[in-house]
Amino acid sequence: MTRPAPANSAENPWPVRAVATRVAKWIDRLGAVWVEGQLTQINLRPNARTVFMVLRDPAADMSLTVMCSADLVAAAPVKLAEGIQVVVCGKPTFYTGRGTFSLRVSEIRAVGIGELLARIDRLRRLLDAEGLFDPRLKRPIPFLPGTVGLITGRASAAERDVTTVAAARWPAVRFAVRNTARAGAHRRTADHRALRALDADPEVEVIVVARGGGSVEDLLPFSDETLCRAIAACRTPVVSAVGHEPDNPLCDLVADLLAATTTDGAVPAGSRPAASSPTVTPVAMVAPTTCRNSIGKCQPLRMRPTRSISAVVTAAIAATSSPAPSSMEKLPAITPSATVETHRG
C-alpha cells in the first residue's frame, strides 16, 4: 500500500520542479481558446520556423505572449503588423524550464472593417442609453482660457494647427501638451493617462483632443469605451478635434464641444483675430489681465450652458470699463425716436 505524500507546508516545501509540473498540467487541461487583441510586437527572424508575438488587450494594461509557425504568419488573411486587431485560436501552454506562459496559435483571423463598425455602433447605442451623449451634461467652454491642455501626436500637424491658430487668436494662451503615439496599440491607454493628468491639473481650463484624419483602424482608439467614459467623467471641459468632418469617432459625441477639424479645435483656445473683433479687441489687447479677472467674477454665467459667450463678454466689458455706464446712458439720445423728439422740442 502506497503511503500518501505528506502535505505541503513550511516544513515540507515543494521543489520548483514540482510546482512547475503541477501548473503545466493544470493549464494543459484548459484546451484551445479564441482570443482577440492587438499585435504589439512581432519577432520574425529570417529562416526561423517559429514566430513570437505579443497580443495586447487595448482596454487594459495586459498582454499575452503568443507563438506560431512562420507559415501561419505568411498565410494570414492580412499582413500582420503592429497595431493590427486580430482573433487567434491557440492552446495555453506553460513551459516548465523557463516558468513562462504563452499561447501556441493554430489559426489567425483578421477583424474586418464591417465588424469594427458594428462594434462601434453597439457601443454607441450603449453609451447613448446611459446618457453620456445628453446635451444637458455638456460643460461650457471657457472664454479666453489661460492654459489649454492638448493631447496629440508628437510633432504632428494637428499639434501645429491647434497651437498656431490659438496663439494667433489669443497670444496670451499657454499650452500643457501631452504627446502620445500617433497610432498603434499603445495609443488608447496613452490618451487615457494624458486625459487624467490634464484633468487633475488645476491650471488647465479646457482640454483639446486632436488628431488628423485617417482610416477606421487609425481612428479606432477614439471610439474606445474606456476613453469615452474618461471624457464623460472629466471635470474639465473637453473639445474633440479628431479627424475630418466625415469622421465620427465616439469621442465626438461624448466631448463637450465637437470641432469639425483640428484647426477648428483651436477656436475655443482664443478669441477672434484682433482685426475682425472691434468689440473684444480693446478688452483683450489693452487690459487682458483685467478682462480675465472680470470674467472670473462672471463665473456663475459661465457655468450656465444656456448662456451664450456674448453674454459673458458683455458682462466682462461692463465690469472692466468704468465709463461704460455713462456711455450707455447717452445711447438713447442718438436713437431715431429720440432724435425726432429732440427736433420737436
Side-chain angles (χ1 to χ4, degrees), residues 197-314:
L198 291 173
D199 189 39
D201 189 340
E203 294 187 357
V204 174
E205 299 178 48
V206 63
I207 300 172
V208 179
V209 181
R211 192 209 187 278
S215 64
V216 174
E217 294 91 337
D218 292 335
L219 300 182
L220 196 60
F222 301 98
S223 292
D224 178 65
E225 181 177 0
T226 304
L227 178 64
C228 289
R229 293 190 183 279
I231 291 175
C234 276
R235 296 169 297 176
T236 310
V238 178
V239 177
S240 175
V242 177
H244 302 303
E245 278 195 82
D247 302 317
N248 189 28
L250 294 184
C251 67
D252 285 357
L253 303 176
V254 183
D256 301 292
L257 181 66
L258 166 61
T261 63
T262 54
T263 302
D264 291 341
V267 174
S271 66
R272 296 178 180 273
S276 62
S277 184
T279 305
V280 178
T281 298
V283 181
M285 301 303 290
V286 178
T289 304
T290 307
C291 179
R292 287 189 52 75
N293 291 341
S294 299
I295 292 176
K297 295 176 183 178
C298 300
Q299 185 71 18
L301 297 179
R302 293 172 53 197
M303 297 306 293
R304 297 175 187 170
T306 56
R307 183 64 67 98
S308 64
I309 289 180
S310 61
V312 179
V313 177
T314 303

Side-chain angles (χ1 to χ4, degrees), residues 163-184:
T163 55
T164 301
V165 175
R169 284 161 166 74
W170 180 239
V173 67
R174 299 184 303 275
F175 282 94
V177 181
R178 296 293 184 273
N179 292 124
T180 59
R182 297 193 192 186

Side-chain angles (χ1 to χ4, degrees), residues 132-146:
L132 268 66
F133 305 156
D134 193 335
R136 293 172 296 181
L137 299 180
K138 305 299 183 185
R139 290 149 294 203
I141 306 300
F143 181 68
L144 302 180

Side-chain angles (χ1 to χ4, degrees), residues 317-327:
I317 294 174
T320 57
S321 191
S322 55
S326 58
S327 300

Side-chain angles (χ1 to χ4, degrees), residues 57-71:
D57 189 330
D61 192 15
M62 299 181 185
S63 59
L64 286 175
T65 299
V66 299
M67 59 186 343
C68 65
S69 67
D71 293 338

Side-chain angles (χ1 to χ4, degrees), residues 44-126:
L44 178 57
R45 297 179 180 177
N47 303 321
R49 300 178 61 182
T50 303
V51 180
F52 293 90
M53 300 179 289
V54 174
L55 196 63
R56 187 173 181 276
D57 189 330
D61 192 15
M62 299 181 185
S63 59
L64 286 175
T65 299
V66 299
M67 59 186 343
C68 65
S69 67
D71 293 338
L72 187 62
V73 172
V78 294
K79 181 177 175 56
L80 299 185
E82 293 185 6
I84 291 291
Q85 192 96 356
V86 295
V87 175
V88 301
C89 181
K91 190 175 186 307
T93 306
F94 184 81
Y95 291 90
T96 56
R98 298 188 303 271
T100 57
F101 175 87
S102 65
L103 199 67
R104 179 171 287 278
V105 174
S106 58
E107 187 175 349
I108 301 176
R109 296 182 183 180
V111 179
I113 297 297
E115 176 61 22
L116 291 176
L117 293 175
R119 292 180 186 180
I120 292 175
D121 187 60
R122 288 195 294 268
L123 179 57
R124 180 191 60 78
R125 292 198 298 268
L126 172 65

Side-chain angles (χ1 to χ4, degrees), residues 14-40:
W14 288 343
V16 172
R17 62 182 180 276
V19 175
T21 302
R22 283 171 169 80
V23 172
K25 289 181 178 179
W26 185 83
I27 291 178
D28 191 57
R29 291 198 298 267
L30 293 177
V33 292
W34 286 94
V35 184
E36 179 182 346
Q38 273 189 322
L39 293 175
T40 59

